[in-house]
Amino acid sequence: GQQVMQIPQYQHVQEGEDFTTYCNSSTTLSNIQWYKQRPGGHPVFLIQLVKSGEVKKQKRLTFQFGEAKKNSSLHITATQTTDVGTYFCAGQGSWKGVVYSGAGSYQLTFGKGTKLSVIP
Amino acid sequence: DTGVSQNPRHKITKRGQNVTFRCDPISEHNRLYWYRQTLGQGPEFLTYFQNEAQLEKSRLLSDRFSAERPKGSFSTLEIQRTEQGDSAMYLCASRPPGGLYEQYFGPGTRLTVT
């Protein structure tokens, strides 16, 4: 079945340092989404990537989708204490002819997340 | 506030009891998802509704779990004969019609089975 893996599991950075988390899928994805979950909170949508090689920016956050649509990354420049939380990628499978690569037609498969701590 | 709401927010039950959770999605959202999340893990898909139709259930989902969305608005998730392994946060998410993929999550119901 489809698996989505994220590394690292934890990252501790000094405020002002950069941070990157990586996401790899065992199968080709139709799209990938990124969510942020603050401690004690619920996941909040950040962005969706659909096209091969796509790069999107949101202020200090840069998201990339790999050419093969099997991997993605999130990079935060100059982290701030407000960036603290767990960042999840979530992938949706894709159709290749009559074969579907995902866990289910409507399912998003989430990675285990990268927990970011920022030391002030 | 017009976000996704879930009730109750916390539920403590004894093993073997049945529990039911409710999710009220954002009003114009016709798509609704249930997830389960345990500590240190990402949300795990349970089931998906489009309007009142349940279109997908996780293959890993036990028969003790059932969900409904009778009028295409709110949804309920029932767990029968709860087990300690059912202890988790149960999250509901909704999504608007059309091509947007973004899911809006509710605050979740934390279930503790003793």
Side-chain angles (χ1 to χ4, degrees):
Chain A
Q2 181 183 48
Q3 289 185 316
V4 174
M5 293 148 285
Q6 266 186 272
I7 55 169
Q9 194 173 354
Y10 302 97
Q11 186 79 57
H12 305 275
V13 299
Q14 288 284 145
E15 189 172 15
E17 289 183 341
D18 292 356
F19 158 77
T20 305
T21 173
Y22 299 91
C23 179
N24 287 287
S25 170
S26 58
T27 59
T28 305
L29 301 170
S30 62
N31 71 89
I32 194 158
Q33 301 172 37
W34 285 90
Y35 290 80
K36 177 183 178 181
Q37 187 170 23
R38 293 182 186 274
H42 56 273
V44 174
F45 176 83
L46 294 177
I47 209 154
Q48 166 198 306
L49 303 168
V50 179
K51 298 176 185 175
S52 168
E54 189 169 14
V55 177
K56 286 189 177 180
K57 292 191 176 185
Q58 286 180 352
K59 296 183 181 177
R60 294 179 295 104
L61 278 60
T62 302
F63 303 85
Q64 292 189 324
F65 200 10
E67 293 290 340
K69 301 183 75 172
K70 293 180 74 172
N71 57 71
S72 181
S73 65
L74 158 59
H75 179 82
I76 303 178
T77 304
T79 53
Q80 300 174 359
T81 54
T82 53
D83 296 324
V84 163
T86 302
Y87 292 85
F88 293 100
C89 63
Q92 186 136 24
S94 61
W95 287 98
K96 201 167 188 178
V98 297
V99 178
Y100 185 73
S101 69
S105 300
Y106 303 99
Q107 284 191 39
L108 267 185
T109 301
F110 280 78
K112 290 188 176 183
T114 296
K115 187 172 181 179
L116 173 64
S117 300
V118 179
I119 305 161
Chain B
D1 184 88
T2 56
V4 178
S5 62
Q6 291 187 245
N7 288 288
R9 296 292 304 277
H10 303 272
K11 179 72 178 178
I12 301 174
T13 192
K14 291 186 177 179
R15 191 176 52 185
Q17 298 294 306
N18 298 344
V19 293
T20 300
F21 310 140
R22 176 176 170 129
C23 171
D24 287 88
I26 295 171
S27 60
E28 64 270 22
H29 289 191
N30 65 332
R31 306 176 200 198
L32 187 146
Y33 303 77
W34 283 100
Y35 293 88
R36 175 172 59 193
Q37 187 176 28
T38 53
L39 200 62
Q41 303 292 318
E44 175 196 3
F45 172 85
L46 295 180
T47 191
Y48 166 71
F49 288 87
Q50 187 162 312
N51 300 309
E52 65 275 7
Q54 187 176 23
L55 297 186
E56 192 159 351
K57 287 172 61 172
S58 168
R59 282 168 279 186
L60 303 176
L61 199 59
S62 160
D63 289 344
R64 297 182 298 103
F65 287 70
S66 62
E68 292 183 339
R69 195 182 183 199
K71 295 182 181 178
S73 56
F74 73 91
S75 175
T76 57
L77 177 69
E78 182 184 16
I79 310 173
Q80 295 183 326
R81 304 181 304 281
T82 52
E83 302 173 357
Q84 285 188 320
D86 297 331
S87 294
M89 178 72 83
Y90 289 84
L91 294 164
C92 173
S94 70
R95 194 180 134 197
L100 295 174
Y101 294 100
E102 177 176 353
Q103 295 187 21
Y104 295 78
F105 282 81
T109 295
R110 180 166 295 286
L111 173 66
T112 303
V113 182
T114 61

